Amino acid sequence: MEGDCLSCIKYLMFVFNFLIFLGGSFLLGVGVWVVVDPTGFREIVAANPLLFTGVYIILAMGSMLFLLGFLGCCGAIRENKCLLLFVSHSILERTLCFNRLHTSMLTREYFTKELKRHYQGYNNTDVFTSTWNAIMNTFDCCGVNSPEDFEESIFRFINPGEVVPEACCRRNSHVGEAGFSNREECLSGSMLYRNNKGCYSAVVDYFEMYIYVAGALAIVVLTIELFAMVFAMCLFRGIQ
């Protein structure tokens, strides 16, 4: 009876780790395809810092899940205590890191602090600055919460004559007209010629449905990983 129970745990662990392996393979495949795609999608990604960063996040997550799932399957089939302990520890660390990311690194306060410290305005060779410029241009927003986020920031230190960066300025909405409505007034702080909505709210509003879907997928993945961790520990304890 004990052997049957151990065998059941072993195959359940294999199933859950195989699901992790498949998820990692899918993400890894999508990331690699986007990076090496010869039809021009690679150039589109490279030209947009947001997409560029997102692709490498997908590659990193896919690689991690692929490796974790593969090692978990091997540990279950071979009943290897070292692999089982490694997989359990890795899943626990990932869960704790995800919780820390969610509670301390995805808040308005965190993004505001980082913006004040690192955003330079016009240095597009800096990944942080170019990414924020892309966000503000794409979503017609300014700062994390509002244009006031640039007060006492490194941007104001580098550009003392400007209240907000150019990326915050409103553009002409009339067909056939390009450029800013009034760049000089915008840079001097006029509310009429700048975007006054914060990017945190703008991005959340735009991606509201996708955020719920991503959250649901994250919960599913974490649940699968937690089951895999429990079965790994049970199998570890059951192996003589």
Side-chain angles (χ1 to χ4, degrees), residues 35-213:
V35 170
V36 303
D37 176 44
T39 60
F41 195 61
R42 178 176 51 189
E43 284 72 20
I44 296 173
V45 170
N48 191 320
L50 283 177
L51 293 176
F52 184 80
T53 305
V55 166
Y56 282 95
I57 290 174
I58 288 173
L59 278 171
M61 288 182 61
S63 301
M64 195 161 33
L65 290 174
F66 177 88
L67 182 62
L68 195 62
F70 177 75
L71 293 177
C73 289
C74 290
I77 294 298
R78 298 178 63 86
E79 297 184 7
N80 186 298
K81 296 183 80 170
C82 290
L83 282 177
L84 292 173
L85 192 61
F86 174 78
V87 169
S88 299
H89 181 73
S90 298
I91 292 174
L92 181 61
E93 287 293 322
R94 272 177 47 79
T95 304
L96 293 175
C97 286
F98 179 83
N99 184 60
R100 180 177 176 274
L101 177 70
H102 183 262
T103 56
S104 64
M105 295 185 67
L106 294 179
T107 62
R108 290 175 182 266
E109 292 75 19
Y110 174 79
F111 286 122
T112 303
K113 182 175 68 176
E114 292 298 300
L115 182 75
K116 287 179 178 289
R117 285 182 178 177
H118 304 295
Y119 180 76
Q120 299 174 34
Y122 303 103
N123 181 12
N124 280 321
T125 58
D126 176 63
V127 174
F128 185 90
T129 298
S130 60
T131 300
W132 264 104
N133 283 336
I135 292 171
M136 291 190 287
N137 284 319
T138 302
F139 296 99
D140 295 329
C141 56
C142 187
V144 177
N145 306 289
S146 69
E148 281 67 38
D149 290 338
F150 293 103
E151 294 176 2
E152 299 178 0
S153 66
I154 190 173
F155 165 77
R156 293 288 295 273
F157 178 78
I158 296 172
N159 306 278
E162 298 181 6
V163 176
V164 295
E166 186 181 89
C168 286
C169 297
R170 288 183 178 175
R171 298 178 181 272
N172 290 316
S173 57
H174 302 294
V175 178
E177 290 187 24
F180 302 102
S181 298
N182 193 321
R183 182 178 179 275
E184 289 71 25
E185 287 292 322
C186 167
L187 297 181
S188 67
S190 173
M191 295 179 65
L192 294 174
Y193 299 104
R194 73 185 187 195
N195 298 309
N196 294 296
K197 186 174 185 177
C199 291
Y200 194 96
S201 298
V203 172
V204 168
D205 291 346
Y206 186 84
F207 289 110
E208 185 174 12
M209 184 184 71
Y210 302 102
I211 288 171
Y212 289 136
V213 172

